Amino acid sequence: MGQAREVMDRLTEALTTKPDLKVVAELYAEDAVALTPDAGEIHGRDNIVEYWRQMTEAVPEARFESVYAYESGDTAIDEGVFSGRNTGPLQLPDGQSLPATQKEIRIRGVDLATVRDGRIVSYRLYFDQMDFLDQLGLLVEEPA
């Protein structure tokens, strides 16, 4: 197992098993960049940690079931299923928040982490945001 795989596994554990944002912060380079479907491009460790704080607050007892785990050079790639119950507020990109729905979610996604000198410098997360919102019951149904 290489460094990228080890860092990705530590990130997954810090976000799911028992959320630990201090560990999350240690895993990202100060000038890291993350790309997410819900928050777009996030620049800098502090902003990325804030993104994860909001996610772990919204789904504090999340689980991640790995389907595939790869490593290619300095990049680790995971495909899996993120699941849990929404028991905390959901932060919206415009700064507003929605109260917890108490609904269970189960979202398949892929994330990629490029690691240099033991820290993530580039992180990309892909999941179906519409499916996520639908499972939370947040999509407005159109009249028939």
Side-chain angles (χ1 to χ4, degrees), residues 15 19 21 38 49-63 82-92 96-105 127 132-133 136 138:
L15 292 170
L21 296 177
D38 51 344
V49 170
E50 175 59 18
Y51 172 81
W52 287 123
R53 183 198 64 74
Q54 292 173 10
M55 290 298 283
T56 58
E57 185 177 289
V59 187
E61 295 180 6
R63 295 169 302 287
F82 176 85
S83 61
R85 180 181 298 275
N86 171 225
T87 59
L90 285 167
Q91 298 296 318
L92 300 176
Q96 295 182 38
S97 68
L98 298 173
T101 65
Q102 303 301 322
K103 295 191 179 220
E104 291 284 336
I105 58 162
F127 64 87
F132 176 64
L133 295 172
L136 291 171
L138 297 174

Side-chain angles (χ1 to χ4, degrees), residues 18-112:
K18 182 180 178 187
D20 188 338
L21 296 177
K22 183 179 179 188
V23 171
V24 172
E26 292 169 359
L27 295 173
Y28 280 93
E30 188 174 330
D31 60 349
V33 176
L35 180 66
T36 71
D38 51 344
E41 196 169 286
I42 307 168
H43 292 266
R45 174 188 325 158
D46 293 344
N47 294 325
I48 295 168
V49 170
E50 175 59 18
Y51 172 81
W52 287 123
R53 183 198 64 74
Q54 292 173 10
M55 290 298 283
T56 58
E57 185 177 289
V59 187
E61 295 180 6
R63 295 169 302 287
F64 181 78
E65 302 163 42
S66 180
V67 176
Y68 296 103
Y70 302 102
E71 183 177 48
S72 179
D74 62 358
T75 301
I77 304 140
D78 281 345
E79 178 181 348
V81 179
F82 176 85
S83 61
R85 180 181 298 275
N86 171 225
T87 59
L90 285 167
Q91 298 296 318
L92 300 176
D94 66 3
Q96 295 182 38
S97 68
L98 298 173
T101 65
Q102 303 301 322
K103 295 191 179 220
E104 291 284 336
I105 58 162
R106 186 170 172 77
I107 306 294
R108 192 166 184 140
V110 173
D111 54 339
L112 301 92

